[in-house]
Amino acid sequence: MRDFALELEERKQAGLYRTRRHVAGPQRPSLIADGKPLLSFCSNDYLGLANNPANIEALRDALSKTGLGGAASHLICGHHDAHHQLELRLAEFTGRSSALFFSTGYMANMGVISALAGRGDTIFSDRLNHASIIDGCILSRARVRRYAHGDVAALATMLAETSGHKLVVTDGVFSMDGDIAPLAELARVCRAHDALLVVDDAHGIGVLGPEGRGSVAEAGLSEEDVPVLIGTLGKGVGTSGAFVAGPSMLMDYLVQKARTYIYTTAMPPALAMATISSLDLIERDQGRRDHVLGLVSRFRREASAMGYELMPSHTPIQPIMVGDNHDALALSQALEERGLLVSAIRPPTVPVGEARLRVTFSAAHSQENLDCLLSALSECRHLVQKADVAI
Ligand SMILES: Cc1ncc(COP(=O)(O)O)c(C=O)c1O
């Protein structure tokens, strides 16, 4: 038998051991984690909606009408009218013909990719795509070719060399870097080479684009340009679940073929109603987006002036590049001693030698919260190498 205990010990030695914190109370910037009050800068609740009173009220109200459990899979008797309402709302929100509600973004990526490509086909995947995309590619049994991050010219060359069914998949906003894929150029080369483009906008939905419609809408791209759009609902939208949106025929195909849609219990229908409430709020409330993006601009200005190495991101994901795993842990620990929760991200989540602190912002953060972060970063500056280039 494998020596699992030894592997755990080796992880500890390499600075790669992961632990979980116990959070008490609702998700918001001021958290109680492991019994300690901390100011969090590591959640994906970009719009501060995870604890929104109107959405909680919508959930309560829906619970009294729909009950709690999903009871069965969608294709047996779990497909509730509340799920249908949400799918119509998601199609409208994203400007697509049709949408399907999945239980998580991880399941959406696994199910969609493995349904739309299979043995004998080729998938082209950005090197920095999320783990759920990588796993979806593996599950598909298609040939997988990874292209350098955001390198549309390299992708075009690969596409030109390949025949048969081709699927290109990319994060919209890259989860650990915060930058945005070159979506317009990707759409152009996919059209030129008859490849199906799949964009996972997990971190753009709610936050970017007109009325929060995401990075694809921000790039002005329609259903013809990006036929398969995936989004998650547990991040900017503040509830839970995920969706895929696109042409009705493709959604019908996924209902027949996406195993992570078919072989799982439907989400509690009341959650769908809370998500509709949240989408209504997101469309109306530009103020939340303006506020969080304002915090991002100020952070970038002041943290790069201190000499921290930031990444080319203008989204609420603002990683501080550190490099070494132990150094990243030391910076995270020093911030925690100053009352801040910012997690260190290490391989395999990011490439070896690129450990970083993934700082994220929320509309629920105040300017005073940002003051606290900046002043702690200033005190901890000596813990990381000076950046060669200020971005
Ligand atoms: C780009 C991306 N896609 C998908 C997911 C998975 O979504 P979920 O948390 O809903 O499973 C994540 C993060 O969790 C992500 O960063």
Side-chain angles (χ1 to χ4, degrees), residues 50 62-63 66 77 84 87 99 297 308 386 390:
L63 274 172
T66 66
C77 66
H84 180 64
E87 289 179 346
S297 306
Y308 280 106
K386 197 150 187 74

Side-chain angles (χ1 to χ4, degrees), residues 104-106 109 130 132 171 175 200 202-203 232 235:
T104 69
Y106 194 100
N109 278 326
H130 187 257
S132 54
D171 281 15
S175 55
D200 171 11
H203 298 274
T232 56
K235 305 183 196 298

